[in-house]
């Protein structure tokens, strides 16, 4: 089977509008511009109009997609999808609205995606403390590369399966030469060569200068629980972590696992896993998790995650101050409190 088209989606984009009541002073059709986002080899902006008289007499809130620049010439076909979300996770997202458009060249913009009437938003729980948040995704359609013409069909190339074979190797423990005993007493058999090839820390521990350490058949792990260490081992062998790809209703489970894995990934020098965990946690910051996630980001040098948490807490300071996580942050990362309070003070000006 030949694919005629391909789609490229941006990561989830969150647009936070503070001071919703003040936007009533904006002119009809006046817009707020997002920063640039990359998707499908092109740069995009999203223009949010707090009251768009062109979209109806109720002057609803609308969003338009703008093509800023891109590689190559020709038309670009893209879609903007958006919905209102509750950053605390207590409300289900609003109904998704979308608009598709053909962009002949940079500078062109789509029609409006009508998010919601202002009156409806103001009567809803999505507006809290004069703030609302819009979740957006940009999808770009591309024509798939043409298949080469042949006199006879060429056999389909199998999908890469190295990760599957290595996963089976770990599961069956064939030829395993080291055993990890994790906190709580659970043990995991593994292969030194695989671990050393994937992690500089494992390489040092298992093939380091100390002959006793290099020859040890059992290694004790005191700083990770068994569930997280098992997922970390699976990632080492397969470069995947399915436990981080659960559905939205399991966000709390994913966030908890991502917190444990981020610490483990930093401990063992698994940079790709660390970045994956940062992304998962950045998309799941809530009132209950913001402070503990900020402490984790500070302790493990995750600057992007740290900035996300600081921005969130600055907008929900009173609620976060009541959580146990904030007490943990106060006790373990006092240095970050100054930055946090500066952000909160700036956001309240």
């Amino acid at each position: 089977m030949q694919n005629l088209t391909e789609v490229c989606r941006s990561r989830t984009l969150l647009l936070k509008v503070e001071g919703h009541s003040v936007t009533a002073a904006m002119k009809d059709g006046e817009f707020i511009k997002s920063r640039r986002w990359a998707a499908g080899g092109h740069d995009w902006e999203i223009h949010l109009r707090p009251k768009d008289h062109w979209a109806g007499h109720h002057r609803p809130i609308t969003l338009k997609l703008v093509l800023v620049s891109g590689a190559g010439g020709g038309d670009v076909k893209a879609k903007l999808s958006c919905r209102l979300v509750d950053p605390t996770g207590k409300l289900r997202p609003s109904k998704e609205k979308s608009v598709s458009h053909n962009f002949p060249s940079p500078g062109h913009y789509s029609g409006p995606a009508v998010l919601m009437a202002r009156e409806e938003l103001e009567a809803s729980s999505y507006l809290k403390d004069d703030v609302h948040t819009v979740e957006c995704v940009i999808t770009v359609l591309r024509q798939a590369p043409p298949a080469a013409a042949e006199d006879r069909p060429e056999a389909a190339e199998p999908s890469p399966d190295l990760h599957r074979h290595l996963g089976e190797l770990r599961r069956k423990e064939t030829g395993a030469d080291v055993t990890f005993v994790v906190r709580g007493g659970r043990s995991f058999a593994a292969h030194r060569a695989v671990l050393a090839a994937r992690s500089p820390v494992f390489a040092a521990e298992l093939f380091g200068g100390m002959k006793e350490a290099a020859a040890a058949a059992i290694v004790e792990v005191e700083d990770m629980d068994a569930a997280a260490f098992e997922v970390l081992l699976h990632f080492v062998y397969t470069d995947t972590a399915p436990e981080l790809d659960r559905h939205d209703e399991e966000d709390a489970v994913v966030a908890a696992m991502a917190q444990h894995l981020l610490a483990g990934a930093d401990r063992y020098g698994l940079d790709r896993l660390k970045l994956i965990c940062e992304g998962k946690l950045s998309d799941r910051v809530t009132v209950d998790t913001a402070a503990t996630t900020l402490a984790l980001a500070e302790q493990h040098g995750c600057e992007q995650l740290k900035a996300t948490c600081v921005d969130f807490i600055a907008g929900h300071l009173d609620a976060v101050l009541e959580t146990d996580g904030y007490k943990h942050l106060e006790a373990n990362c006092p240095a970050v409190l100054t930055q946090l309070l500066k952000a909160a003070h700036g956001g309240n000006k």
Side-chain angles (χ1 to χ4, degrees), residues 30 47 64 163 171 219 235 238 347 349:
E30 190 176 356
H47 291 182
K64 293 184 178 182
H163 67 287
R171 187 180 66 82
V219 178
F235 182 87
T238 68
K349 285 183 178 180

Side-chain angles (χ1 to χ4, degrees), residues 41-253:
H42 303 273
D43 289 336
W44 306 86
E45 289 177 351
I46 298 172
H47 291 182
L48 186 147
R49 288 169 168 77
K51 49 178 189 177
D52 191 345
H53 70 290
W54 298 107
H57 67 281
H58 292 296
R59 291 183 171 84
I61 299 166
T62 66
L63 296 98
K64 293 184 178 182
L65 183 61
V66 182
L67 175 62
V68 178
S69 63
D75 294 352
V76 182
K77 297 166 180 63
K79 179 176 77 170
L80 171 66
S81 305
C82 53
R83 59 183 183 176
L84 287 161
V85 294
D86 174 14
T88 68
K90 295 177 181 178
L91 295 178
R92 294 180 65 85
S94 68
K95 183 178 180 181
E96 183 176 280
K97 303 298 178 67
S98 64
V99 59
S100 298
H101 190 74
N102 179 55
F103 298 84
S105 61
H108 281 256
Y109 53 87
S110 71
V114 180
L115 186 64
M116 186 177 286
R118 282 185 68 90
E119 295 81 1
E120 185 180 355
L121 171 62
E122 290 162 0
S124 76
S125 298
Y126 294 111
L127 184 66
K128 186 174 182 181
D129 298 327
D130 210 27
V131 177
H132 65 84
T133 303
V134 185
E135 178 185 276
C136 301
V137 175
I138 302 168
T139 304
V140 180
L141 182 70
R142 297 186 296 192
Q143 184 173 344
E150 296 286 348
D151 293 334
R152 57 185 179 185
E154 188 175 322
E157 181 179 331
S159 300
D161 53 7
L162 177 62
H163 67 287
R164 182 173 60 82
H165 290 158
L166 289 177
E168 283 294 301
L169 181 69
R170 190 193 75 81
R171 187 180 66 82
K172 294 178 179 179
E173 302 180 358
T174 305
D177 56 1
V178 64
T179 299
F180 292 89
V181 179
V182 185
R183 186 174 63 203
R186 190 172 171 191
S187 61
F188 300 92
H191 304 79
R192 295 169 183 269
V194 175
L195 300 178
R198 295 279 283 152
S199 160
V201 177
F202 278 132
E205 288 185 354
L206 300 174
F207 295 100
M210 295 179 61
K211 293 183 178 179
E212 295 83 0
I218 297 177
V219 178
E220 293 187 358
V221 178
E222 297 292 343
D223 52 0
M224 287 188 73
D225 63 33
F229 189 78
E230 184 174 24
V231 175
L232 183 142
L233 267 187
H234 182 83
F235 182 87
V236 167
Y237 278 77
T238 68
D239 213 40
T240 64
E243 288 77 6
L244 297 181
D245 292 324
R246 300 192 178 198
H247 298 301
D248 289 346
E249 59 268 20
E250 296 178 304
D251 271 359
V253 177

